[in-house]
Amino acid sequence: MLRGVARSQYGRTLAVGGMGALGAVVGSMVLSDRERQVQCEADGGEAKSPSTVMGILSDIHEKLGRIETAMGVSETTPIKPAPVASFQLPPSPGAKIDVVLGAQWGDEGKGKLVDILSQEYDVCARVAGGSNAGHTIVVGGTKYKFHLLPSGILNEKAMCVIGNGVVVHLPSFLNEIDSLTIPGVEDRLKISDRAHLVFDFHQQVDGHLETKLGRHKIGTTKKGIGPAYASKISRNGLRVGDLQNWPYFEQRFRSLAEHHMNSFEGLEIDVEGQLEYYKNISNRVGKLTIDTIEYTNQAYADGKKILVEGANATMLDIDFGTYPYVTSSNPSVGSVLTGLGVSPNKLRGIYGTVKAYCTRVGEGPFPTELEMSVEGTVGHHLSSVGAEYGTTTG
Ligand code: IMP
């Protein structure tokens, strides 16, 4: 296992595990280069094997089905019909929500997989977490860096949704949009009115808490994720939609800033400067802000294909991960329901991505570690060939 500089770039080997009823890894594929269109559409080879990623996933699904059948737990095993079955509405034809999650400690290559898959979906969504450490996607020689936007934004036919479970640092979010040289991005982007805001002072507090922890630090990204979720849970946070009611926003912001200055000695917040900034961007943000719960459910009812791009990974889950060395949200499947506002029976495929070796950023338990800095070692080889260097963290 590798620790330290693990961040996603692409051109690596992925093992993709079908996370069906067995939660087993049943297949693998090699996503070998940066030409996703070639991967997606024109893999023409001798092909007994499927030529598209969707084909590969169907193949995996089929294999999983066979394993399940062999173990006697197949979906096709006759199940006594439940008496209330008639209450279950079948999904509209073509409708589905598929989910790609990280099944290790993050940086398994979700972005690459999602980038390829998203070409075939109508809506791509983020449901939890905040600006993560980021990944780079190269299309036609142009590099795009993503931290918060779903990488589906590169599919010019897809709508992108930032769900209510996400926490958003608007200055970084707007910079990320501005850095994309793709026309009409803001016409295809919707952000939930319920998504909570990460303020600069949340980021300062994140750094301060890490410093205070000293050698017991969590190794956070210092993007203010934990402190912003803390404000959400303390019920004194602000949400994206609050910007559209300026007197309310101003009053809540002053009170939240004061609360933080009282709680963290030495913390200084330029309250007037921040208010001016947020007032200036409120119109721009307002045009992107909607009730994404209604939007997503309507899209589902209209038969649209929806893809959820998970952030972080299961072992960083606040409930299921290696607490306290975790992030502050639920990167596992539960957050798709709560962070997008959809019911469980709307989910179809749930795919966990894994790497052949593990990497971890930050602190926390990691049973076997490889030396990465010494040339000639296995760790050094894996980290250089696997390009385990980050968009943010290097
Ligand atoms: P936070 O989400 O910044 O609070 O960081 C909490 C933990 O999650 C730390 O161990 C981070 O290194 C880890 N983490 C956060 N974002 C990522 C990511 O994108 N990839 C891998 N690890 C991450």
Side-chain angles (χ1 to χ4, degrees):
M1 295 189 178
L2 301 176
R3 177 206 296 277
V5 291
R7 286 270 82 94
S8 293
Q9 300 263 333
Y10 294 94
R12 63 163 61 118
T13 302
L14 299 181
V16 179
M19 300 297 281
L22 296 175
V25 175
V26 294
S28 69
M29 67 180 180
V30 176
L31 302 179
S32 59
D33 65 25
R34 293 157 193 256
E35 298 301 322
R36 62 176 164 73
Q37 284 100 337
V38 176
Q39 284 269 346
C40 252
E41 286 156 19
D43 225 44
E46 303 254 321
K48 268 194 195 153
S49 53
S51 62
T52 66
V53 170
M54 292 303 285
I56 292 169
L57 290 176
S58 305
D59 213 32
I60 291 171
H61 189 74
E62 208 177 288
K63 281 180 188 156
L64 179 63
R66 287 206 295 270
I67 293 170
E68 287 177 333
T69 307
M71 294 182 69
V73 293
S74 165
E75 282 171 18
T76 54
T77 304
I79 296 168
K80 212 173 135 199
V84 291
S86 58
F87 286 103
Q88 296 212 341
L89 289 174
S92 354
K96 59 179 181 183
I97 300 179
D98 288 331
V99 183
V100 173
L101 301 171
Q104 294 168 328
W105 280 270
D107 304 313
E108 302 92 346
K110 295 181 292 292
K112 174 80 176 178
L113 180 58
V114 166
D115 175 47
I116 297 167
L117 289 178
S118 64
Q119 305 303 307
E120 308 186 28
Y121 286 79
D122 304 303
V123 178
C124 298
R126 282 277 316 265
V127 299
S131 270
N132 56 25
H135 55 266
T136 304
I137 291 178
V138 183
V139 183
T142 309
K143 272 189 184 177
Y144 298 97
K145 292 186 177 180
F146 292 96
H147 297 278
L148 187 65
L149 286 172
S151 35
I153 200 80
L154 294 178
N155 169 4
E156 292 181 13
K157 286 186 238 116
M159 293 298 294
C160 287
V161 168
I162 309 287
N164 55 280
V166 176
V167 289
V168 188
H169 182 245
L170 284 174
S172 319
F173 178 63
L174 297 178
N175 280 342
E176 194 171 326
I177 296 174
D178 292 338
S179 73
L180 293 177
T181 48
I182 308 168
V185 166
E186 290 187 42
D187 300 332
R188 296 190 290 107
L189 188 56
K190 305 286 173 204
I191 181 163
S192 169
D193 53 355
R194 295 171 193 234
H196 270 255
L197 292 174
V198 181
F199 292 108
D200 290 356
F201 60 78
H202 286 129
Q203 301 191 333
Q204 287 168 258
V205 166
D206 200 351
H208 169 81
L209 291 174
E210 283 286 271
T211 310
K212 247 178 100 180
L213 283 171
R215 67 191 179 87
H216 299 296
K217 70 178 193 275
I218 289 159
T220 74
T221 57
K222 299 188 183 157
K223 301 266 188 185
I225 313 287
Y229 275 114
S231 295
K232 172 177 178 175
I233 301 302
S234 304
R235 291 156 296 181
N236 57 3
L238 279 124
R239 306 195 285 184
V240 170
D242 295 338
L243 266 176
Q244 305 314 312
N245 178 351
W246 186 253
Y248 179 78
F249 182 92
E250 180 176 353
Q251 176 257 314
R252 298 265 304 181
F253 182 86
R254 287 186 189 283
S255 145
L256 185 64
E258 195 181 325
H259 168 78
H260 277 76
M261 285 189 285
N262 290 338
S263 307
F264 299 97
E265 206 185 326
L267 176 68
E268 285 175 20
I269 302 174
D270 174 9
V271 174
E272 303 312 320
Q274 285 281 288
L275 284 172
E276 194 186 339
Y277 172 80
Y278 280 96
K279 190 155 199 188
N280 281 339
I281 61 164
S282 63
N283 270 345
R284 183 178 178 191
V285 175
K287 290 190 187 126
L288 307 175
T289 307
I290 59 162
D291 178 344
T292 50
I293 301 169
E294 188 186 359
Y295 178 85
T296 310
N297 282 285
Q298 189 58 53
Y300 180 88
D302 292 343
K304 305 272 192 229
K305 289 183 282 178
I306 300 169
L307 179 68
V308 173
E309 176 175 346
N312 307 118
T314 307
M315 296 303 281
L316 295 172
D317 188 291
I318 185 89
D319 285 287
F320 306 117
T322 51
Y323 191 90
Y325 301 100
V326 292
T327 191
S328 300
S329 61
N330 290 111
S332 51
V333 71
S335 65
V336 180
L337 314 178
T338 56
L340 193 58
V342 293
S343 66
N345 63 3
K346 289 182 177 155
L347 301 193
R348 196 185 68 150
I350 301 165
Y351 299 102
T353 52
V354 296
K355 266 194 300 213
Y357 55 89
C358 293
T359 57
R360 166 163 214 169
V361 179
E363 307 298 315
F366 209 44
T368 54
E369 283 185 43
L370 293 174
E371 174 57 65
M372 296 171 62
S373 52
V374 181
E375 256 183 70
T377 59
V378 174
H380 184 269
H381 176 76
L382 287 178
S383 62
S384 8
V385 175
E388 299 293 350
Y389 302 94
T391 299
T392 302
T393 46

